[in-house]
Amino acid sequence: MSSDRIHLRVGVSDLRRHPGERMGVQRDVDLGGIGVSSAAVPAGSTGRLDVVVESRSDGVTVTGTLTVPWTGPCRRCLEPTDGVAEVHLREVFSDDPVDADLLPIESDVIDLGPVLHDAAVLALPLAPLCRDDCAGPAPESFPVQRADGDERPVDPRWSALDELRFDPGTDAPLE
Ligand SMILES: [Zn+2]
């Protein structure tokens, strides 16, 4: 997958001189190529990042949203469909990321690339639907067995077989 392709490094040295100070970051981010089995971001498509970076005494927080354009087959009718998912971000970057939930600040720079990759993957729909009331496949393009059961009349030449009952032990017809 393309985690290496997302690069979004944000310098926070000025911000960190004043704990409590905030800085808005809005960017278009190339998410093309990110995908799961059910949906993917089309090649060349960008997501929109809109976050606030806030300085804390021991690091910075990043809070906001990422929009993720996607395409994929509708789970009912299998026609191509698309949409835009929005995912909320809340990450904490720390000088001393002892906790596994914390991300590192390196040389007064935070790297949002891996965060955006993971957020985009999680935002993709696992079961896309072209519209809420999609009725499923058009019968003429996807012949399917009728849900109420196949009621074709049995060919009379075979009907005698229906009368036979076999002994499961011997496969011999029972009288
Ligand atoms: Zn559909």
Side-chain angles (χ1 to χ4, degrees):
M1 213 61 76
S2 60
S3 57
D4 295 340
R5 286 177 44 194
I6 302 178
H7 295 289
L8 183 46
R9 296 162 66 79
V10 178
V12 293
S13 57
D14 288 347
L15 190 70
R16 298 209 60 201
R17 292 199 188 98
H18 306 100
E21 195 158 299
R22 302 165 133 233
M23 171 178 71
V25 176
Q26 291 88 31
R27 292 290 168 81
D28 291 325
V29 184
D30 179 6
L31 301 175
I34 291 178
V36 295
S37 59
S38 54
V41 179
S45 290
T46 57
R48 182 67 178 169
L49 176 70
D50 187 354
V51 293
V52 171
V53 184
E54 181 169 357
S55 177
R56 308 185 342 166
S57 58
D58 56 347
V60 300
T61 60
V62 176
T63 312
T65 57
L66 174 69
T67 62
V68 182
W70 58 266
T71 61
C74 171
R75 71 169 183 264
R76 289 188 193 150
C77 68
L78 304 182
E79 292 292 327
T81 187
D82 55 49
V84 177
E86 184 176 275
V87 60
H88 292 270
L89 303 173
R90 177 170 171 77
E91 302 291 343
V92 180
F93 290 80
S94 171
D95 295 311
D96 185 21
V98 286
D99 190 317
D101 290 337
L102 303 179
L103 297 163
I105 301 174
E106 289 167 348
S107 305
D108 280 335
V109 171
I110 60 173
D111 184 1
L112 289 172
V115 169
L116 300 183
H117 174 271
D118 291 351
V121 168
L122 289 175
L124 292 171
L126 294 176
L129 203 55
C130 64
R131 55 179 204 274
D132 285 343
D133 62 348
C134 173
E140 61 273 19
S141 51
F142 292 93
V144 290
Q145 198 150 20
R146 283 161 46 191
D148 56 353
D150 191 341
E151 296 293 334
R152 279 177 305 176
V154 173
D155 186 316
R157 288 170 295 176
W158 298 106
S159 62
L161 294 175
D162 287 343
E163 308 300 320
L164 288 173
R165 295 292 179 270
F166 289 87
D167 181 336
T170 65
D171 280 350
L174 295 175
E175 292 304 324

